[in-house]
Amino acid sequence: IIQLYMPLNWFGTYYRVIQKNFIDMENMFDLLAEHPEIEDLPDARDLMIKEGIVEFKNVSFSYTPERVVLRNVSFTVPAGKTLALVGPSGAGKSTIIRLLFRFYNVTDGAILIDDQNISFVTQESLRREIGVVPQDTVLFNNSIKYNIQYGRVGASAADIVAAARTADIHDRILTFPEAYDTQVGERGLKLSGGEKQRVAIARTILKSPAVVLLDEATSALDTQTERNIQAALANVCANRTTIIVAHRLSTIIHADEIVVLKDGEIVERGSHNELKDRGGQYAAMWKQQLENDAAGGPSSSSAEGQ
Ligand code: ATP
């Protein structure tokens, strides 16, 4: 009996750990990413959100000792404002998002939210206040309702529908065979990339975090999908401090500040109009995007790799 019981008990424990991890969608993101386990300090406090100001102060970071990936990066995102990160592939944009979520501790400098160094707060409280819309959302093999509700376990049906409406996915869901009860994911109805991203947006709206991190999908989307996503994104960003990793410059024309990264350093910063007229890196990227757009086809609208 003992022999049989032990592995079952072990499995039970493991299963609970896995289940717990699945409660937070960011942990899903967490599970997929390869990174070392970050420990909370023994005296770590909970992050207390006052306004939601995000600040990078002279942040440097290396994944491995031989290579610096971010060098002396500083910026402030005032409460409710939007900062966009652009730059060539490998510049360090996603690393900034990972550091803010504390998948890694900074090598030098500090990241502050409302003047609290995120290295000194509990990860649980930090991740509770941050919503992430990743590039590729993984759906659970469960109903579409479950997949949205995951943003706030226990949310009412009315709140789920309201979030879906705001994310511009409600009407689409009503066309599914069993509407909100339709099974989705690998073993159910397969959703397009744009639909999955809107599910992620609906989850984040339900979660209602102070800070939103968006990692825009690199994949090309058709114009209508693009418009739907733009509208949904505008809703999720409204009145929330937002950091967006942008691959299409058209997404970030209205960002309060655009930061251009190259080889881990900030090379330009300003509004779209300021940067467009400066004749630097951003102006070149913008020109390239206009040319690509003129050449036609959604597949040419990526401004990456410039
Ligand atoms: P993209 O637009 O292609 O997503 P990015 O600007 O987001 O690029 P990052 O993903 O932040 O770039 O990567 C910055 C640099 O850090 C790259 O040179 C990358 O190879 C390196 N890097 C990323 N993740 C790791 C890791 N886990 N270990 C070691 N190096 C890494």
Side-chain angles (χ1 to χ4, degrees):
I1 288 169
I2 285 172
Q3 267 176 346
L4 202 97
Y5 174 77
M6 293 275 287
L8 273 182
N9 186 36
W10 177 85
F11 178 76
T13 307
Y14 228 74
Y15 184 70
R16 274 192 298 279
V17 169
I18 291 168
Q19 265 207 324
K20 180 178 169 292
N21 276 335
F22 272 63
I23 295 301
D24 255 313
M25 80 181 220
E26 284 76 29
N27 279 332
M28 183 72 206
F29 192 43
D30 194 333
L31 289 173
L32 296 175
E34 276 182 41
H35 52 80
E37 197 59 51
I38 296 288
E39 300 275 350
D40 283 345
L41 292 175
D43 57 348
R45 292 161 180 246
D46 278 355
L47 173 68
M48 303 294 288
I49 291 288
K50 292 168 209 127
E51 296 171 84
I53 304 164
V54 175
E55 200 177 350
F56 271 58
K57 267 191 176 169
N58 307 108
V59 170
S60 294
F61 178 72
S62 307
Y63 288 99
T64 52
E66 58 276 10
R67 193 157 156 252
V68 178
V69 168
L70 290 179
R71 202 185 299 270
N72 216 18
V73 170
S74 296
F75 58 77
T76 301
V77 198
K81 301 289 184 193
T82 297
L83 178 103
L85 299 169
V86 301
S89 182
K93 306 180 294 291
S94 304
T95 302
I96 287 180
I97 300 281
R98 289 181 207 126
L99 290 178
L100 194 40
F101 214 61
R102 209 161 152 232
F103 281 158
Y104 303 88
N105 283 324
V106 299
T107 311
D108 220 334
I111 302 173
L112 310 176
I113 299 182
D114 286 342
D115 285 329
Q116 297 150 83
N117 188 326
I118 67 164
S119 295
F120 304 150
V121 304
T122 61
Q123 291 168 71
E124 202 257 324
S125 67
L126 174 71
R127 292 175 190 179
R128 199 166 51 221
E129 303 295 354
I130 300 179
V132 179
V133 179
Q135 275 202 20
D136 295 301
T137 299
V138 182
L139 295 182
F140 301 107
N141 290 309
N142 207 314
S143 66
I144 184 83
K145 171 175 176 277
Y146 175 93
N147 271 281
I148 295 174
Q149 193 177 33
Y150 189 62
R152 175 158 47 91
V153 176
S156 70
D159 285 350
I160 293 167
V161 170
R165 276 188 200 280
T166 312
D168 203 12
I169 187 82
H170 172 74
D171 291 342
R172 182 77 189 103
I173 292 170
L174 293 188
T175 69
F176 295 167
E178 292 173 76
Y180 279 84
D181 294 321
T182 307
Q183 296 290 309
V184 295
E186 282 308 304
R187 281 184 265 124
L189 187 71
K190 296 211 180 21
L191 305 193
S192 72
E195 288 164 351
K196 280 194 281 192
Q197 197 163 34
R198 277 178 284 154
V199 170
I201 292 170
R203 276 179 191 168
T204 306
I205 289 167
L206 211 50
K207 181 171 174 172
S208 199
V211 178
V212 174
L213 308 179
L214 296 170
D215 203 348
E216 191 179 61
T218 38
S219 54
L221 301 166
D222 63 77
T223 316
Q224 189 54 47
T225 306
E226 178 90 29
R227 274 199 205 114
N228 292 344
I229 297 217
Q230 287 301 318
L233 286 180
N235 287 334
V236 77
C237 303
N239 303 318
R240 293 200 174 91
T241 310
T242 305
I243 297 183
I244 173 166
V245 172
H247 295 285
R248 288 180 296 280
L249 302 187
S250 53
T251 320
I252 50 151
I253 290 172
H254 302 295
D256 298 292
E257 187 176 29
I258 297 168
V259 161
V260 185
L261 278 176
K262 197 177 177 198
D263 298 329
E265 289 183 274
I266 297 180
V267 291
E268 282 180 329
R269 67 204 313 161
S271 69
H272 169 77
N273 282 331
E274 285 162 8
L275 293 176
K276 182 167 67 70
D277 298 334
R278 197 172 290 168
Q281 179 101 359
Y282 185 88
M285 288 167 69
W286 180 246
K287 186 166 165 272
Q288 182 72 50
Q289 166 140 3
L290 290 181
E291 282 170 13
N292 289 347
D293 288 351
S299 60
S300 60
S301 64
S302 170
E304 240 206 328
Q306 301 306 307

